Amino acid sequence: MSGRLSLVATLGLAFLINGCSEPEDTGNIGKSDPISDADADGFTVEDGDCDDADAAIYPGAEDTWYDGIDSDCGFDSDYDADLDGFDSSAEKDGGEDCDDTDDTVNPDAEDAWYDGVDSDCDGASDFDADGDGHDSADYDGDDCDDNDAAFSPSVDEIWYDGIDQDCDGANDNDADGDGYESIDHGGIDCDDSASDVYPTAPEVWYDGIDQDCYPDNDDDADGDGYASADQGGTDCDDADATVNTDAVEVWYDNVDQDCDAGSDFDADGDGFDSSDFSGTDCNDALDTINPNAVEVCDAGVDNNCDGNADDADANLDATSTSTFYADTDNDGFGDANSTDEACEAPSGYVADNTDCNDTSNLYNPNAAETDCNDPEDYNCDGATGYTDADSDGFSACAECDDTDPLVNANAAEVCDGIDNDCDGTVDLASNLDYLGFVYYQDADCDLEGDLANPVLDCSQSPPPQNGSICYVSNHDDCDDANPNVNTGATEVCDQLDVDEDCDNGADDQDPDGSPSTTDYYTDTDGDGYGDDQESTGVPYCDPPSGVADNNDDCDDTTDLVS
């Protein structure tokens, strides 16, 4: 306070020395008299009394702050109690000092963060150093990084950069917050923009969204590989994986496993349900049997399911019947002039129509005509026994064809497809008059046959090879068991003296000689060396005695010289 009094006295004295008049009287009597003490407070204007009309105002008086009166005449702001040069914002409009009790707190002060004091009176939280409107998480706030305004709950999160911009503590690779990281950033969430899409999410079928992130068809709820028919697919029951277009149909269970829309009680697909299941198809295993089928002869099958089969069915197709012939004499042979159409032979009818007299069982194709003088045609061959219609010297009962004089027991069998000699065989030699072709067996298949094994055949070419046996038209082979022996073979010298070329001579006896012989020279003295006087040797396969296979002896009269 003494400082304020000195200041007042100094100001008053300055007024007097400089001849300056006192400030204009504002209504306080006595102020115009600098030497008087109008308010009797012990101070004159000259003494620094700034209001000589009020005894409560004088230098050194106890100043009451914020009442608008300068009680101690200090000429300072009555709204700056801490004397820091800033009026209290709480006591004066336009004041800036947010704490007028502390001169370290004012707009010019430097704020110290996190001490709970707004030192610079900017009104901002002392726990929000980066000024982003969020207190530090270290001081019960929600700002995870109070040094950077780019981090706070008010900041938009930038996903997948490894930074928690919005301070929510959530996984930066889980944008939709469903607890699963994005599949594009090492996770398994197939859609990280939808919180209802993740691997364990319940699948909502047919909405085009893969909620559970399983790579299946959203239109295939039963997972059988076929889309629901309601979604444009072919699966008629998308709640059952055993039902689809490739499933095996289980008949009669009232389930359309293969989705063909056909009746489950029509296994043969003929358009009629099985009679075992209130239908009319008496055989649901065959599509040829149903009420619309045509009844035909087929060993008692009821084709049209009317309860009758074959001859018992009035609707029998007549084109399927057979013709049967009356067998009045019961000999097994029918009368060609008495017929009946049926599936099975009626009683008294047979399939044969070769009986020439159906009134007596003595007449039929199997009857014997032993007496060639009998005038009756018992065997129904059209000729009586004693007749010789072809005039070949054989009666009809003694030959196989009485219409051809070249056919009888004495005829020659020829290649014409007829049993010429009536021996029961056709075109096979049965006598010396055979007029076909003769081939020979070629057992070693060297293209030369064996004379001892002729084969008679009507073909103009030899029969085809049968197993290891061939057939040829010649019989030139002299050893049909050795393919190296035939007329085209080369004669060779061998110990067994084999006639390889089939010319009836072997080795040294072969009239054609053998290229495998060795030349020999006379060896008179028997010393193993032939006479050098012989320039040409004699070829032998098997040399006689007295010869050598060289002509190196210069004196063949003595074995002492060689």
Side-chain angles (χ1 to χ4, degrees), residues 471-495:
Y471 298 91
V472 294
S473 58
N474 68 79
H475 52 79
D476 298 334
D477 204 338
C478 57
D479 185 353
D480 201 37
N482 188 343
N484 296 317
V485 175
N486 53 68
T487 59
T490 300
E491 186 69 34
V492 296
C493 297
D494 52 19
Q495 292 182 347

Side-chain angles (χ1 to χ4, degrees), residues 409-426:
N410 286 343
E413 186 71 24
V414 296
C415 293
D416 58 1
I418 298 173
D419 181 13
N420 308 93
D421 57 5
C422 293
D423 67 349
T425 60
V426 177

Side-chain angles (χ1 to χ4, degrees), residues 4-15 45-48 59 75:
R4 295 183 65 186
L5 291 176
S6 298
L7 177 58
V8 172
T10 301
L11 290 174
L13 180 59
F15 286 136
V45 172
E46 188 177 70
D47 292 330
F75 295 101

Side-chain angles (χ1 to χ4, degrees), residues 515-531:
S516 65
T517 57
T518 302
D519 288 338
Y520 289 89
Y521 302 88
T522 301
D523 180 16
T524 304
D525 55 12
D527 60 2
Y529 295 92
D531 189 348

